[in-house]
Amino acid sequence: MNAAPPKDGRDTLAGRLTRTLILWVGGVWMLCVLAVVWYVDREINNNFDNELVEVSHRMFDMAVQEMGKLQHSGATPDAPVIAPKQLFSEDAVMYQVVDIHEHVLLRSAEAPTDAFDVPLAPGFANNQTWRIYTVRHPTLGLYFQVADPLDERRSALNRTLFGLIIPLGAVLPLLALVLRNVARNELRVLQQLAGEIEKRSGSDLRPIALPGLPRELRSVGDHVNSLLERLSHSLDVERALAANAAHELRTPLAAARLRLQTALEHDLRRNDVQAALDALRMLSHRTEKLLQLSRAESGASLARARVDLVQLAGAVAQEFWNDPQISERLALKVPDAVAPVASGDVDALAIALRNLVENALRYGGSGRVVIEVMAPCTLAVRDFGAGVSPEQLATLQQRHVRHSSDRTGYGLGLSIVSTIVEKHNARLELASPPPGAASGFEARIVLRPA
């Protein structure tokens, strides 16, 4: 069942990514703004403080001299001396010269009449209104205090930040718009990939084209293509099983039905019943072969393990030796040295070897049949019957090819063997007659060593 499409863009991946990017970028932007505020405030205060230090050291001696002149000119002894107004009132420097008892001896015209409410010690100090730098005269026991209004510093800071933050804030909507467009553009390939997957169906399992996909989505596309390939293979196996069943079972089913009908019409004569049983036996045999072929073609359950070929050949031979009619005809030949060990599925290889032995026993006449295990990793089954012609040898592995009335079923058994061999990346070699023999047929499965 298909999921219901979202009613708006809020539930889309692009919408979620846009919101996430805006939140994170906005958070980082806010941290950067706070860092700028801290840095600008620090730099402005440092500049003002440096000015206070420089001004105090330059003006201290001048202020002392000015105080001496003004006192000699008849100033009131107990009243502080007021320096003349400075030329630029907006840039006037406010200062006081005080003694060790915090009596104001000299002050600028713009400075308050009372001493600054800060400790009388060299260095910086703040009160509610002023930032004050105090320096002591090395010999006269006087202190020179230069004051700077804190409002002026705050005003300078506000002007600077206003000029920075207003443009930065103005670009936030533009930044959000850019992030949204970037998210939509970058996720468009994901929508294209989803569209291609949606187009696939049971009748269309073509691989998905992956041009221009980023690495992460290319990996997803590769996995989807691999899944489509396995699904297509499974459907092919299913179709092949249906076609093979229709082809292979039609004749034995018709024969069984005909024999049973004949038996009923002739009061169940023994020969007719036996013929019906033979037809049913053939039907069972071909059904088993079809299932073996379907399993071999699917390849889904094939394992990769170390297979002792001597043990495998001995187990298959033992199955046939249990039949007294076959035990005298079948021989097993194994190497004297170390047993060859192959990599493969022991059950599938046993099915392949069993099919070769059945074919040899069936089509090799009444002569001997030999199973031979050869180094480095080969299984061979040979008979010494009439063999096949070169033309028949070239088409033996083709399914449903009837070479003669006495060789029906050869193609299906060899198709099973051929498919199993192919799934093991091995090689099937056929020869008629076998090397060194005057007649007969030999099939070899050349496996890869473990």
Side-chain angles (χ1 to χ4, degrees):
M1 181 175 65
N2 295 330
K7 295 180 179 179
D8 50 39
R10 291 178 298 176
D11 292 332
T12 62
L13 181 58
R16 293 183 180 182
L17 185 58
T18 300
R19 291 195 299 274
T20 303
L21 286 175
I22 289 176
L23 288 176
W24 278 98
V25 172
V28 173
W29 180 89
M30 184 59 67
L31 291 177
C32 292
V33 168
L34 294 177
V36 169
V37 171
W38 171 83
Y39 180 77
V40 170
D41 179 65
R42 175 175 172 272
E43 289 299 312
I44 288 176
N45 282 301
N46 283 339
N47 289 335
F48 276 91
D49 288 346
N50 290 335
E51 289 180 359
L52 287 180
V53 172
E54 185 175 353
V55 167
S56 64
H57 286 285
R58 287 189 177 184
M59 293 187 62
F60 199 176
D61 291 338
M62 295 170 60
V64 172
Q65 293 175 5
E66 184 70 19
M67 181 180 67
K69 291 179 182 178
L70 293 174
Q71 287 176 344
H72 287 301
S73 64
T76 304
D78 294 334
V81 177
I82 301 174
K85 286 189 176 181
Q86 300 170 40
L87 295 178
F88 304 97
S89 58
E90 63 276 9
D91 296 327
V93 178
M94 287 163 279
Y95 61 88
Q96 291 178 346
V97 177
V98 298
D99 59 15
I100 57 176
H101 301 294
E102 299 186 4
H103 295 151
V104 178
L105 303 179
L106 173 67
R107 66 177 178 87
S108 61
E110 297 79 7
T113 57
D114 299 328
F116 293 115
D117 185 17
V118 295
L120 193 61
F124 287 100
N126 288 355
N127 59 20
Q128 293 181 349
T129 308
W130 307 94
R131 172 88 169 159
I132 301 160
Y133 181 71
T134 303
V135 60
R136 182 175 182 177
H137 197 281
T139 57
L140 299 179
L142 299 177
Y143 291 88
F144 187 74
Q145 292 182 314
V146 183
D148 194 22
L150 291 177
D151 289 342
E152 185 177 346
R153 297 185 178 217
R154 285 192 288 268
S155 177
L157 176 63
N158 291 336
R159 289 196 304 272
T160 304
L161 294 180
F162 186 80
L164 288 174
I165 294 177
I166 292 300
L168 290 176
V171 301
L172 277 179
L174 178 61
L175 180 61
L177 180 63
V178 170
L179 290 176
R180 190 192 67 170
N181 291 336
V182 168
R184 288 184 175 180
N185 290 334
E186 292 299 322
L187 293 177
R188 189 167 297 161
V189 292
L190 185 59
Q191 295 176 348
Q192 294 173 351
L193 178 61
E196 290 293 327
I197 295 175
E198 189 177 7
K199 292 177 183 176
R200 298 303 182 268
S201 63
S203 59
D204 183 7
L205 296 176
R206 293 176 293 111
I208 296 172
L210 306 173
L213 286 181
R215 184 173 56 186
E216 295 80 0
L217 290 184
R218 180 174 293 278
S219 175
V220 174
D222 290 339
H223 289 308
V224 171
N225 281 339
S226 177
L227 179 62
L228 289 174
E229 182 180 2
R230 292 197 297 272
L231 182 58
S232 177
H233 179 68
S234 298
L235 291 177
D236 290 341
V237 171
E238 182 181 348
R239 295 189 189 101
L241 176 62
N244 294 332
H247 186 276
E248 295 291 336
L249 301 183
R250 184 185 305 115
T251 300
L253 279 173
R257 186 172 60 252
L258 178 61
R259 292 295 184 179
L260 289 174
Q261 183 67 33
T262 303
L264 289 175
E265 292 174 353
H266 295 81
D267 298 330
L268 297 177
R269 291 187 309 187
R270 181 180 182 81
N271 290 340
D272 293 332
V273 174
Q274 185 60 46
L277 289 175
D278 292 342
L280 291 174
R281 189 178 300 109
M282 176 62 71
L283 178 62
S284 174
H285 178 75
R286 291 192 178 181
T287 302
E288 180 185 356
K289 295 299 180 186
L290 288 172
L291 293 177
Q292 289 179 0
L293 179 62
S294 178
R295 181 195 174 197
E297 287 183 336
S298 69
S301 59
L302 292 183
R304 286 290 181 271
R306 294 171 59 84
V307 180
D308 188 323
L309 297 185
V310 172
Q311 292 182 0
L312 172 66
V316 173
Q318 186 61 48
E319 296 178 14
F320 290 95
W321 285 338
N322 292 331
D323 186 346
Q325 297 181 353
I326 298 176
S327 60
E328 296 296 331
R329 295 180 55 196
L330 182 62
L332 174 62
K333 185 177 180 181
V334 297
D336 297 330
V338 179
V341 177
S343 174
D345 186 298
V346 63
D347 294 331
L349 292 176
I351 291 173
L353 184 59
R354 196 178 297 116
N355 273 279
L356 292 179
V357 175
E358 287 178 352
N359 283 342
L361 291 171
R362 183 175 180 182
Y363 303 112
S366 58
R368 289 187 307 120
V369 172
V370 178
I371 304 174
E372 183 174 2
V373 179
M374 296 182 290
C377 238
T378 300
L379 291 169
V381 177
R382 68 177 66 94
D383 66 70
F384 302 95
V388 297
S389 65
E391 293 77 13
Q392 292 176 334
L393 185 65
T395 58
L396 276 182
Q397 298 183 51
Q398 297 179 10
R399 202 171 299 169
H400 310 315
V401 174
R402 305 302 188 194
H403 302 91
S404 63
S405 58
D406 60 339
R407 290 195 176 276
T408 55
Y410 225 139
L412 186 59
L414 279 181
S415 293
I416 296 171
V417 177
S418 177
T419 303
I420 293 175
V421 169
E422 181 184 354
K423 297 297 181 184
H424 283 78
N425 296 323
R427 191 171 69 252
L428 176 63
E429 297 177 351
L430 305 179
S432 180
S439 63
F441 179 82
E442 181 185 86
R444 292 188 180 188
I445 300 175
V446 183
L447 296 163
R448 292 186 175 183

